[in-house]
Amino acid sequence: MDAFTISNISRGSDRLWIHFACLWFVSLYALYLLYTEYNEILIKRIQQLQHIKDRSDQFTVLVREIPICPEHKARACSADHFFSKYYPHDYHSYQILYNGKDVEELMSQAKSIARKINDLKERSVVKQTNRGTFLLDKSDRDKAKLAFQEEKLEEVRLKINQLQGESTLKQKELPVAFVTFKSRLAATLVAQSQQHSHPLSWIASMAPEPRDVSWRNLAIPYRLLPLCRHIVFLAATLLTIFFAIPVTAVQGIAKFEKLKKWFPPAMAIQLIPGLSSVVTGYLPSAILNGFIYIVPFAMLGMAMLAGSISKSKEEIKTCNMAFYFLVGNVFFLSLLSGSLLDQIGESFSHPKDIPTRLASAVSAQVIVSPLLLPFLIGYFCLGYLVFINQIKDVYNIIYETCGEYWPQIHHYILIAVILMQITMIGLFGLKSKPAASVSTIPLLVLTLMFNEYCKIRFLPSFRNFSVQSAKKNDELDVKSNRLEANYENASTAYSPPCLQPLNFAASGSTSTQPFVSS
């Protein structure tokens, strides 16, 4: 299909103006769609926040870097004193967090023992035969195993009771607390204001919903978060760089004719009929997709180490790293490595022609063949239908962000549009059409200005809960007499895992109440 690409157009041809007009049309239409979609999703976000106005996170603020009370030598009373003093009419309660790794490990151990007990109770109870069903008594050996496991479970339960005592937990307090207020308006104002003259003390932000909290990251000291983020950024960068090795190898397989010149043993593949077609046609794609498949899992593991306070932010960070990884490797490196394998011999002998040959190879290899567009449109339409079905009927929704993912998607699409424009500026220049290249620069500037406008117009509403919306929801709750019930529910919604009740039977009884309440 090279005959249909821009690389087939001769230098200085007026046909390039057709590509120029298409570039302007596609870019402006893309910006129009992005603007309308951003506006529609913002409206849906506001409506959804009103629809789920009884959520606990609208009344709750996450406070970090809580100092120790000099009088009682504890952080819990420090939080209570601070908010009782500065917000006497709006403050309701707090939930201090604890370093409860040992308790969580014991709970996991207790659940494992409980499963063994249930298995022992159900083993050999019923025996199926041809003549009928008979109930069998447990053997002495099974009874001994059952008694041993129940005794072990009781020991673990007593250890959990001891570790969940107030005196023990007081020594494991973290400088982090979930503070609940009597109105959404108060919580919103607290989360968006500086609480102390020292900016690294009493740091407040809106709490994620209880299902979305990343409890393990709240134990990371706030002052170490920049270091964690830089380490994760460095790790993601190194992964992107070192991934160049398999990408370059794959491009070498795809360019088999050129590879034979530089690696003669590869000619042995031709000895088997049809093998060279399989190797050059299917193997590169299979290898590349195999490597790419493991990348999101690696990125998610790194995002978990960055100290995000919620699972949704971890996944958004994962999406960001995966996107730039794909742009850096699958887009740029894949193109450059393939083009270099084509042009490497000629480039050594004529170094001044490298830009021209590289641009020609890039335009022949990629995102600019008109005949591919119908297939791409069909692919994305089918993908849209599939994902709509997945979201509605298949996926189990763990948390609700009310559209917080959209600004990232908007960002990714905008970067794709900018890359398209920059690529076309270079191609017009190398095709001896400087007028088209210069005339594309205002389009690039317009796109960048559009991006800045969207940041000012829409992005703050996705990062913050507006005072207007908070007050409106409070008024609706007052009319329906639901305000007090909602903030009372919020005060108990953020119980840390180390204080959660045990969910298994022990010695014939089931624990239904937490051991410690604040």
Side-chain angles (χ1 to χ4, degrees), residues 58 68 95 113 123 228 230 238 240-241 262 333 346 365 375 422 440 453:
Q58 297 184 8
I68 298 177
Q95 172 62 70
I113 297 173
R123 183 191 300 176
C228 294
H230 283 86
L238 292 176
T240 303
I241 293 174
W262 301 100
L333 187 59
E346 291 82 355
Q365 189 170 341
F375 299 99
I422 294 175
T440 307
Y453 173 77

Side-chain angles (χ1 to χ4, degrees), residues 272-381:
I272 303 176
L275 182 60
S276 61
S277 299
V278 174
V279 170
T280 58
Y282 296 99
L283 187 60
S285 178
I287 295 176
L288 189 59
N289 288 332
F291 278 107
I292 292 177
Y293 180 77
I294 64 175
V295 167
F297 298 98
M299 296 293 188
L300 181 59
M302 289 187 289
M304 291 180 178
L305 302 177
S308 299
I309 64 173
S310 64
K311 301 171 187 176
S312 60
K313 286 184 170 55
E314 289 176 355
E315 295 189 359
I316 288 175
K317 189 178 293 292
T318 302
C319 293
N320 287 334
M321 292 190 293
F323 172 78
Y324 287 111
F325 172 87
L326 293 175
V327 170
N329 273 291
V330 180
F331 182 72
F332 282 112
L333 187 59
S334 179
L335 295 179
L336 294 177
S337 60
S339 300
L340 288 176
L341 286 173
D342 282 341
Q343 305 291 337
I344 190 170
E346 291 82 355
S347 297
F348 283 146
S349 57
H350 303 88
K352 293 182 179 180
D353 296 336
I354 291 178
T356 303
R357 292 195 182 96
L358 189 58
S360 176
V362 167
S363 61
Q365 189 170 341
V366 300
I367 61 174
V368 292
S369 179
L371 292 183
L372 291 179
L373 291 179
F375 299 99
L376 291 176
I377 294 173
Y379 171 79
F380 284 113
C381 289

Side-chain angles (χ1 to χ4, degrees), residues 455-468:
K455 289 180 180 180
I456 299 173
R457 170 65 180 85
F458 299 111
L459 191 57
S461 298
F462 283 82
R463 291 181 174 175
N464 301 314
F465 189 39
S466 69
V467 172
Q468 180 189 26

Side-chain angles (χ1 to χ4, degrees), residues 252 255-271 276:
K255 303 294 180 179
F256 182 68
E257 296 299 326
K258 299 296 181 180
L259 183 63
K260 289 190 297 184
K261 297 180 181 180
W262 301 100
F263 189 64
M267 299 178 62
I269 299 177
Q270 292 181 324
L271 299 177
S276 61

